[in-house]
Amino acid sequence: MTPNLTYVVTVGVLFAAGVTLLLERSLTRILLGVILLGNGVNLLILTGGNAGAAPIAGLAGQERMSDPLPQAMVLTAIVITLGMTAFLLAMASRTWLLTGHDEVQDDVEDRRIVRLAEQDADLPDDVDALDDINDLNSLNGVNGGDPRRTHVTEPP
């Protein structure tokens, strides 16, 4: 069985638009991307099934019956997409109420780790261990970030 070209193009467009929207920073666009991807998956699963008679024993011969598995998979995918949509909609609504916008913010800790990784890439290997100890000590407020001092002798 060869799939219909219209279905293949439609699935491709839904996947492309869904992935493009998922890469945005707005939760509303991410929500639309999840919905488009869900619909693309449903259509993709349905193109794999054969058209035929209802899969009820005694109504048609076994070779003429349609496969009920793609239909069951699509029903499951619809429920999963609905759950994800409800979750993202609640998250977008809550973010809008708290901040006044639905943009996903950068994580400050992630940016710090990326900056430290870029600095470590520029240093020789024997200096990396000392920098890691300094960073850990300065984060914990221990010894003023000096790795040679291992114990705090005076209270902070």
Side-chain angles (χ1 to χ4, degrees):
M1 179 183 128
T2 60
N4 189 350
L5 184 62
T6 307
Y7 287 144
V8 172
V9 170
T10 306
V11 167
V13 167
L14 286 173
F15 269 89
V19 168
T20 303
L21 287 172
L22 275 179
L23 296 175
E24 294 290 329
R25 297 184 65 88
S26 169
L27 285 175
T28 306
R29 291 182 180 165
I30 293 172
L31 173 67
L32 291 174
V34 167
I35 292 170
L36 287 178
L37 272 177
N39 288 331
V41 167
N42 293 342
L43 193 57
L44 179 66
I45 293 172
L46 280 181
T47 58
N50 294 332
I56 300 173
L59 290 182
Q62 198 170 15
E63 63 279 348
R64 289 187 40 225
M65 284 187 191
S66 64
D67 187 12
L69 184 62
Q71 297 170 14
M73 296 288 284
V74 166
L75 285 174
T76 304
I78 288 171
V79 171
I80 292 170
T81 303
L82 180 66
M84 285 295 297
T85 301
F87 174 72
L88 286 172
L89 191 59
M91 192 179 343
S93 172
R94 183 69 177 166
T95 303
W96 181 268
L97 288 175
L98 291 176
T99 62
H101 58 82
D102 67 343
E103 295 287 319
V104 177
Q105 299 296 317
D106 283 337
D107 189 12
V108 177
E109 185 69 16
D110 284 344
R111 282 188 279 167
R112 189 187 68 80
I113 290 172
V114 168
R115 190 177 64 247
L116 288 175
E118 289 171 351
Q119 290 173 353
D120 285 347
D122 296 337
L123 298 174
D125 290 337
D126 58 341
V127 180
D128 286 344
L130 265 179
D131 284 344
D132 291 341
I133 293 171
N134 280 335
D135 293 336
L136 288 174
N137 285 338
S138 65
L139 281 176
N140 294 328
V142 176
N143 303 327
D146 187 4
R148 293 171 295 203
R149 293 177 55 195
T150 56
H151 299 321
V152 177
T153 56
E154 42 193 41

